[in-house]
Amino acid sequence: GLMDIAIGVSNTAASLETARTMGYTVEGNTIIGPDKYRYTVVEQVEGRTEKFMHVTLRVADLAKSVKFYTETLGMDEQTHSYPKQEVGADAKYAVVGYSSGQSLVPLVLIEDGAKPVIEQFEGRHAISMPEPDLRKVYADISKNSKDLIVHELQELKEVLGLLCIFIMKDPDGFELCIVSSETFDKAVLSAADWKGPDFEQRRAFLDERAPKNKKGLSS
């Protein structure tokens, strides 16, 4: 399941202290966010503009997961070219991701003996790729691993163009939203207002729709 999200900062000590001052729990180099997601602060890589450094997933079988992400989704293994990760003596890890662009966010896959737990909390990853590649991936999955498909391929006529999308899961059940980059990337950019989230509005929105025993848990 989802373990943490690594954020690149210019000064880790100052970032952690700011988080404490704001009332967040800090464990080592990790900040526990408002919804209990874990954000690990790391030194920003020189020349990299993207602040999201990587996302860490716990997997049951590292070799199987690496094979899935590289052979099925076309990622590259980047373990030896990516900054070394501290994962504990009994754990092993690999780094996978796409290589065309310094702003891309890789996955750190960790096998530590614990069973991955996949719940609603884990959410989904959105993976954007060119439409021809998306169709090849979908054809391969449909033929060889149809049980991994959650929602079949759809073609949506959006204002900015045709959006191809399907939902699948990885070998551990983590859901992936595969979308065509030609339209998705433009849609994301057009929707960005560069403002932080309104957590008060978000809590109210969730509480209005949550059962009585779940109200207030979003914060």
Side-chain angles (χ1 to χ4, degrees):
L2 179 63
M3 296 181 71
D4 72 358
I5 300 167
I7 306 294
V9 298
S10 59
N11 187 320
T12 57
S15 296
L16 294 170
E17 184 56 34
T18 298
R20 290 191 190 94
T21 301
M22 295 175 68
Y24 294 112
T25 300
V26 175
E27 298 177 355
N29 279 3
T30 300
I31 301 166
I32 313 301
D35 291 317
K36 308 306 179 185
Y37 290 105
R38 302 175 66 86
Y39 300 90
T40 299
V41 296
V42 299
E43 292 292 336
Q44 178 76 351
V45 174
E46 185 176 356
R48 180 181 173 89
T49 57
E50 175 60 64
K51 297 298 184 183
F52 287 97
M53 298 298 291
H54 66 255
V55 177
T56 307
L57 294 179
R58 175 178 283 119
V59 300
D61 185 324
L62 184 62
K64 184 177 182 179
S65 293
V66 169
K67 182 177 180 179
F68 168 80
Y69 281 101
T70 56
E71 294 186 8
T72 301
L73 291 182
M75 294 184 182
D76 303 311
E77 184 168 356
Q78 303 173 359
T79 308
H80 300 296
S81 60
Y82 196 74
K84 185 177 180 180
Q85 304 297 298
E86 301 297 330
V87 296
D90 297 326
K92 52 185 178 179
Y93 79 95
V95 182
V96 295
Y98 296 109
S99 298
S100 57
Q102 61 88 34
S103 65
L104 301 180
V105 181
L107 297 175
V108 174
L109 308 174
I110 294 181
E111 180 186 340
D112 60 3
K115 181 181 178 179
V117 177
I118 308 299
E119 298 177 337
Q120 188 175 5
F121 176 85
E122 266 64 32
R124 288 174 177 156
H125 282 154
I127 298 179
S128 168
M129 63 178 64
E131 182 185 335
D133 294 344
L134 179 148
R135 293 187 182 277
K136 288 179 183 178
V137 169
Y138 186 75
D140 176 63
I141 291 290
S142 298
K143 180 180 179 181
N144 300 309
S145 305
K146 196 169 185 178
D147 59 308
L148 296 181
I149 296 176
V150 179
H151 295 297
E152 296 182 349
L153 177 66
Q154 296 185 63
E155 299 181 1
L156 307 177
K157 294 182 179 180
E158 303 288 343
V159 174
L160 296 174
L162 180 68
L163 178 69
C164 296
I165 179 173
F166 70 94
I167 309 296
M168 64 177 296
K169 55 187 177 181
D170 75 1
D172 292 295
F174 190 92
E175 291 192 3
L176 307 168
C177 177
I178 314 298
V179 292
S180 53
S181 55
E182 292 87 346
T183 298
F184 180 77
D185 292 0
K186 290 187 290 186
V188 170
L189 184 60
S190 67
D193 60 9
W194 315 113
K195 297 178 182 178
D198 184 340
F199 285 108
E200 291 300 327
Q201 186 276 336
R202 186 177 184 278
R203 292 186 186 101
F205 178 86
L206 293 174
D207 284 345
E208 286 174 1
R209 292 157 177 79
K212 289 183 178 180
N213 64 334
K214 298 293 185 179
K215 291 186 183 298
L217 295 183
S218 65
S219 56

